[in-house]
């Protein structure tokens, strides 16, 4: 592989106009496709195999035209202090609003609060339920505007009016912190390279890669049913890995220049060595993201595949466009250790720096001398950070997790004040009595059984379909939707349903947003171990091929588990316990998002293996070239520590930029990934890895002979390049690439 990539790097450097033209054409094509693509329609959220989804599917069959998955809105009215919402003037304003909402073209129904018993006991709060024919993602902007205008008219009449539900759902906003993250990345690159031109290359190529990826996602959003979060995730991961991959290749190019090689050969060797590491690091990220499909949640699968595609683009750009741009830059990209005159560089200062061991060398030498102390300190520290993870509670965000500045959150609070916390998460019980001899008796019995359960406030009479064989019963819990008590109630109703099935052959299914959230959490929990086994197993095999060792991949996997558990502990401490919540902009603590653990396992594992591959490949390269194991560790840090540190800081800055998002899910993912990169890069890879390798010595690179013969030789360390550069000509390179 190193030889092929070496030829590819030289080809891209030499044929830079051709390579640049291809990437510009792809960016233009993707941009045109995104600009001309129709607006994305319904972004469905289905959870195959869950009881809540089965109930939704049954409702669509037995209640045709009921729009079970249609958007909903609750317009909540509150009278001024000391007055009642039932006063004549206020009642007229509410009824006028109801009439206005009923005229909407996409409105299926609007329930009048006075005839539907939707007035609080103290008479101060009422709500009107609005049901739409289409889902929240399909809803026209005109319908949303009409909803907002109707609410404003009621406010003008002197009422407090807030709107909840998914009818007002909008794409998340990331704010200025995302731009700040990219700015920090730019500063780190300038400090690392000592050159504005060299620093600009990774940023330029990363932005091009993200532009192609996100534009492609936008162009295909309607066809593939992709939501706005998919683009956000692709941007987040694409920027991080795109900058990092380009950073490693540019850094290796400058190191090759410092050894006296000509620029074309240096570009080829940079792609052949660092590029090999980029390929395998990218593969681990792609495996982790595509592996999310084992969870069997379509939305999560699409997010993973889309982000994996953006990572693949980042790898290809790093291997081809970076050497092409290096060809354009020429002498403006200087050898390693030499800064531009603008930044205070000069050959004399570069020589002085070369004579003095860098920080990475000094740190690695210290770790090699004190491996046991460093290992114990790192493990204990990560273990302490992971302690909060033991109290992890999972759930999905609802309007109660929205900032208090939003109308959705204020509507949620008003409903809790007037009708109790459970009113924001009613349960819909679907009774399928098609095989029963007396469906009406079954409906009554099920309702009576539910009334006897704990934490039940209200049970509505069964509403049957036209055929009379299926009915829905609405149950209002006494606890808020995300509480453990409400989850216990859902399980209790389902347990009663099993008894009903045995007695009358009728099926009892629990659905609604609260039940769906509970089922999603359970499904994600059940899939975590199989997913972890699949991803870690495949990546373990891949790393055996890369490092030709059994213990190094094993150490990498164990280190990853430490870092991800510590990161989960930090997420629990901030988003569930409320530590530093004000600093992070977390206005409401509560359960951690259900998909966070499995998502962090996938993404963090892929990113953790980036640093493992980049850092340990340098050590492996030094060992293969004859250095002693302990000295190889120091050499690896000498060449790789500065770049890995810069890469980690950049990735942390990019992820942390998404903490400013208005979407709680994006905010939590940004924080979780940023803190996970910190733990993995600076504790696991920079401290635990050299300590373990120093303790293992030559045993670290042990591989059974039979396995050594069976594995393909991918030559990541570039041993084959010792002869390739001296024997291959330009014509030979071009012919080999054409044949490949």
């Amino acid at each position: 592989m190193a030889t092929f990539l070496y030829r590819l790097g030289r080809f891209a450097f030499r044929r830079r106009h051709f390579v640049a033209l291809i990437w510009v054409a792809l960016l233009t094509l993707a941009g045109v496709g995104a600009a001309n693509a129709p607006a994305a329609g319904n972004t469905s959220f289905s959870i195959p195999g869950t009881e809540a989804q089965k109930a939704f599917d049954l409702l669509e069959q037995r209640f045709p035209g009921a729009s079970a998955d249609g958007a909903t809105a609750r317009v909540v009215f509150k009278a001024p202090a000391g007055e009642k919402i039932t006063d004549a003037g206020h009642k007229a304003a509410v009824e006028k609003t109801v009439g206005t909402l009923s005229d909407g073209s996409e409105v299926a129904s609007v329930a009048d609060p006075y005839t539907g018993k939707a007035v609080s006991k103290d008479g101060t709060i009422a709500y009107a339920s609005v049901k739409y024919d289409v889902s929240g993602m399909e809803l026209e902007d005109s319908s949303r505007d009409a909803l907002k205008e109707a609410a404003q008219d009621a406010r003008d009449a002197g009422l407090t009016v807030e709107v909840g539900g998914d009818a007002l759902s909008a794409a998340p906003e990331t704010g200025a912190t995302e731009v700040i993250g990219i700015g920090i990345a730019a500063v780190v690159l300038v400090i690392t390279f000592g050159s504005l031109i060299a620093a600009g290359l990774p940023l330029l190529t990363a932005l091009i890669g993200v532009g192609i990826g996100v534009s492609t996602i936008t162009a295909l959003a309607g066809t593939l049913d992709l939501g706005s979060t998919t683009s956000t995730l692709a941007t987040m991961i694409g920027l991080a890995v795109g900058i990092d991959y380009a950073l490693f290749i540019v850094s290796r190019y400058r190191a090759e220049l410092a050894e006296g090689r000509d620029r074309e050969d240096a570009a080829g060797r940079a792609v052949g060595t660092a590029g090999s590491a980029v390929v395998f690091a990218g593969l681990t990220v792609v495996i982790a993201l595509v592996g999310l499909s084992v969870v069997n949640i379509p939305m999560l699968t699409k997010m993973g595949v889309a982000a994996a595609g953006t990572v693949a683009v980042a790898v290809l750009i790093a291997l081809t466009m970076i050497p092409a741009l290096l060809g354009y830059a020429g002498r403006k990209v200087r050898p390693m250790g030499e800064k531009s005159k603008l930044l205070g560089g000069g050959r004399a200062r570069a020589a002085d720096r070369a004579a003095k061991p860098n920080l990475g060398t000094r740190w690695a030498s210290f770790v090699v001398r004190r491996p046991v102390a460093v290992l114990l300190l790192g493990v204990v520290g990560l273990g302490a950070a992971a302690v909060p993870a033991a109290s992890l509670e999972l759930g999905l965000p609802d309007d109660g997790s929205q900032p208090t500045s939003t109308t959705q959150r204020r509507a949620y609070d008003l409903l809790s004040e007037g009708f109790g916390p459970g009113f924001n998460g009613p349960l819909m019980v679907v009774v399928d009595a098609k095989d029963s001899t007396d469906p009406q008796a079954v409906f009554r019995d099920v309702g009576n059984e539910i009334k006897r359960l704990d934490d039940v406030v209200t049970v509505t009479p069964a509403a049957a379909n036209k055929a009379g064989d299926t009915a829905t019963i609405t149950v209002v819990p006494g606890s808020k939707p995300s509480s453990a008590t409400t989850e216990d109630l859902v399980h209790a109703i389902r347990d009663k349903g099993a008894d009903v099935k045995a007695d009358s052959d009728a099926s009892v299914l629990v659905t609604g947003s609260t039940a769906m959230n509970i089922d999603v959490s359970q499904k994600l929990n059940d899939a975590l171990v199989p997913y972890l086994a699949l991803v870690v197993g495949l990546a373990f095999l891949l790393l055996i091929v890369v490092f030709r060792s059994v213990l190094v991949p094993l150490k990498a996997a164990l280190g990853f588990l430490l870092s991800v558990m510590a990161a989960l502990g930090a997420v629990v401490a901030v988003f569930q316990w409320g530590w530093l919540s004000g600093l992070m902009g977390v206005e409401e603590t509560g359960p951690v998002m259900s998909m966070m653990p499995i998502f962090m396992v996938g993404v963090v594992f892929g990113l953790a293996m980036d640093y493992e591959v980049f850092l340990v490949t340098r050590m492996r390269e030094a060992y293969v070239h004859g250095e002693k194991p302990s000295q190889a560790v120091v050499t690896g840090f000498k060449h790789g520590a500065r770049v890995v540190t810069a890469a980690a800081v950049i990735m942390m800055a990019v992820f942390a930029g998404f903490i400013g998002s208005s979407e709680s899910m994006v905010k939590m993912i940004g924080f979780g990934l940023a803190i996970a990169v910190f733990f993995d890069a600076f504790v696991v890879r920079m401290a635990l890895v050299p300590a373990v390798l120093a303790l293992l010595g030559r045993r670290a690179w042990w591989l059974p002979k039979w396995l050594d013969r069976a594995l393909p030789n991918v030559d990541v360390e570039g041993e084959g390049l010792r002869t390739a550069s001296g024997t291959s000509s330009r014509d030979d390179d071009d012919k080999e690439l054409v044949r490949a």
Side-chain angles (χ1 to χ4, degrees):
M1 173 177 286
T3 303
F4 169 77
L5 292 178
Y6 168 78
R7 292 193 174 104
L8 177 63
R10 290 185 64 182
F11 174 85
F13 185 95
R14 194 166 56 252
R15 302 286 190 264
R16 61 187 73 101
H17 302 311
F18 174 71
V19 173
L21 182 62
I22 288 178
W23 284 112
V24 170
L26 289 175
L27 178 61
T28 303
L29 184 64
V32 171
N36 295 326
N42 178 23
T43 302
S44 59
F45 184 79
S46 62
I47 314 295
T50 62
E51 180 171 317
Q53 186 62 49
K54 291 177 182 176
F56 270 125
D57 296 340
L58 183 64
L59 286 173
E60 289 184 358
Q61 295 174 11
R62 305 288 175 84
F63 292 83
S67 302
D69 61 344
T72 58
R74 276 179 171 175
V75 183
V76 188
F77 308 89
K78 183 177 182 180
E83 301 179 23
K84 301 288 186 181
I85 199 69
T86 53
D87 293 346
H90 299 326
K91 183 176 182 181
V94 171
E95 290 179 339
K96 180 181 178 182
T97 302
V98 170
T100 301
L101 290 172
S102 301
D103 295 335
S105 59
E106 294 180 309
V107 173
S109 63
V110 181
D112 188 304
Y114 301 104
T115 58
K117 299 181 180 180
V119 179
S120 62
K121 290 182 179 179
D122 62 4
T124 61
I125 298 174
Y127 69 90
S129 295
V130 185
K131 182 75 173 176
Y132 291 89
D133 292 321
V134 297
S135 69
M137 296 303 295
E138 286 181 305
L139 204 61
E140 297 287 344
D141 289 339
S142 58
S143 295
R144 291 193 176 94
D145 292 340
L147 182 60
K148 295 175 184 177
E149 290 171 4
Q152 186 58 49
D153 290 342
R155 291 190 189 102
D156 295 340
L159 300 176
T160 298
V161 185
E162 306 296 345
V163 182
D166 61 350
L168 290 183
S169 59
E173 299 176 359
T174 53
T177 51
E178 181 183 348
V179 178
I180 294 173
I182 297 176
I184 293 174
V187 172
V188 172
L189 287 170
V190 172
I191 294 173
T192 302
F193 289 136
S195 166
L196 294 176
I197 299 297
L201 296 183
L203 279 176
L204 175 62
T205 54
L207 291 173
I208 291 174
V210 169
I212 293 173
V214 173
S215 296
T216 303
I217 290 171
T218 304
L220 300 177
T223 305
L224 301 182
D225 191 19
L226 304 177
S228 59
T229 308
T230 304
S231 296
T232 304
L233 176 64
T235 301
M236 186 188 301
I237 296 178
L239 270 178
V241 301
I243 294 173
D244 278 7
Y245 294 165
L247 166 65
F248 285 112
I249 292 179
V250 173
S251 178
R252 186 59 184 256
Y253 171 76
R254 297 176 72 233
E256 297 293 338
L257 288 180
E259 294 182 6
R261 306 189 192 281
D262 68 76
R263 295 186 177 275
E264 183 177 325
D265 188 43
R269 284 181 170 271
V271 176
T273 51
S276 297
V278 166
V279 169
F280 283 99
L283 274 176
T284 59
V285 180
V286 169
I287 288 172
L289 291 170
V290 174
L292 290 170
S293 58
V294 304
V295 183
N296 195 26
I297 295 179
M299 183 189 74
L300 195 58
T301 299
K302 293 169 185 176
M303 289 171 61
V305 172
T310 306
V311 172
V313 171
V315 171
L316 292 174
I317 283 184
L319 297 178
T320 58
M321 193 169 187
I322 282 293
L325 294 178
L326 289 172
Y328 283 117
R331 296 185 181 279
K332 293 179 182 178
V333 177
R334 299 171 180 269
M336 182 169 288
E338 184 178 332
K339 291 185 179 181
S340 65
K341 294 180 180 180
L342 180 64
L343 296 173
R347 295 196 175 185
R349 294 187 181 183
D352 292 340
R353 285 191 295 269
K356 181 182 178 181
N358 62 19
L359 181 59
T361 301
R362 298 196 298 273
W363 168 251
S365 299
F366 169 78
V367 175
V368 168
R369 291 195 305 270
R370 301 284 188 272
V372 176
V374 172
L375 182 62
L376 288 176
L377 184 62
V379 171
V380 170
L382 290 176
V387 168
S391 61
L392 176 68
E393 296 177 6
L394 298 177
L396 287 178
D398 55 19
D399 285 347
S401 62
Q402 296 270 8
T404 53
S405 59
T406 63
T407 186
Q408 292 95 326
R409 171 60 188 278
R410 292 195 293 264
Y412 181 98
D413 292 340
L414 283 177
L415 288 172
S416 296
E417 176 188 341
F419 302 92
F423 197 79
N424 284 291
L427 307 176
M428 180 180 288
V429 179
V430 182
V431 185
D432 179 9
K434 188 175 183 179
D435 297 328
S436 175
T437 56
D438 189 356
Q440 293 299 324
V442 172
F443 300 154
R444 287 193 302 273
D445 291 344
V446 170
N448 292 332
E449 289 292 334
I450 294 175
K451 289 178 182 177
R452 298 189 185 101
L453 297 175
D454 295 334
D455 199 47
V456 173
V457 175
T458 305
V459 178
T460 64
N465 62 348
K466 290 183 179 180
D469 58 6
T470 307
T472 59
I473 301 173
T474 301
V475 180
V476 177
S479 304
K480 64 181 182 179
S482 58
S483 69
T485 307
T486 301
E487 182 176 350
D488 292 339
L489 175 60
V490 170
H491 292 311
I493 295 174
R494 287 173 174 172
D495 290 340
K496 288 293 183 182
D499 297 336
V500 172
K501 180 70 173 177
D503 295 338
S504 62
D505 290 330
S507 298
V508 177
L509 306 173
V510 185
T511 189
S513 59
T514 301
M516 181 69 82
N517 290 352
I518 292 170
D519 287 351
V520 170
S521 299
Q522 186 61 49
K523 192 176 183 69
L524 289 166
N525 285 339
D526 294 343
L528 182 58
V529 173
Y531 174 70
L532 188 63
L534 172 69
V535 171
V536 175
L538 289 176
F540 182 81
L541 295 176
L542 188 65
L543 292 179
I544 289 179
V545 174
V546 174
F547 296 125
R548 306 197 76 77
S549 164
V550 174
L551 295 180
V552 170
L554 180 61
K555 166 208 45 92
L558 293 177
F560 151 74
L561 291 176
L562 277 173
S563 60
V564 79
M565 288 304 298
L568 275 176
V571 169
V572 170
V574 173
F575 290 88
Q576 188 174 310
W577 291 1
W579 293 5
L580 301 177
S581 57
L583 181 64
M584 297 297 168
V586 180
E587 296 188 16
E588 183 73 20
T589 59
V592 173
M593 184 180 61
S594 298
M595 64 178 66
M596 193 66 189
I598 199 166
F599 188 80
M600 281 189 66
V601 165
V603 177
V604 175
F605 182 79
L607 300 179
M609 293 306 103
D610 279 4
Y611 303 118
E612 180 76 14
V613 170
F614 290 131
L615 194 59
V616 180
T617 297
R618 272 291 197 170
M619 300 178 191
R620 168 75 181 172
E621 184 178 340
Y623 177 75
V624 167
H625 291 165
E627 292 188 9
K628 294 181 179 180
S630 59
Q631 183 57 40
V633 171
V634 176
T635 301
F637 267 76
K638 175 184 177 182
H639 295 293
R642 180 182 177 90
V643 180
V644 169
T645 300
V649 172
I650 289 170
M651 197 170 280
M652 288 169 57
V654 172
F655 289 147
F658 288 84
I659 295 176
S661 173
S662 62
E663 178 67 41
S664 59
M665 174 173 149
V666 175
K667 182 189 294 287
M668 191 178 295
I669 289 175
F671 172 80
L673 294 183
I675 198 70
V677 168
F678 172 78
F679 287 141
D680 196 86
F682 293 106
V683 181
V684 175
R685 310 303 155 189
M686 290 291 188
L688 301 188
V689 166
V692 172
L693 291 179
L695 289 172
L696 291 176
R698 294 186 182 276
R699 294 186 297 274
W701 308 108
W702 170 79
L703 187 70
K705 291 183 179 179
W706 64 268
L707 186 57
D708 188 28
R709 291 191 297 268
L711 292 177
N713 183 13
V714 296
D715 189 23
V716 176
E717 58 274 0
E719 181 67 17
L721 297 185
R722 290 191 167 190
T723 57
S725 61
T727 59
S728 64
S729 65
R730 294 187 175 188
D731 291 339
D732 290 338
D733 290 346
D734 293 347
K735 291 176 182 177
E736 288 291 333
L737 284 170
V738 170
R739 283 198 292 269

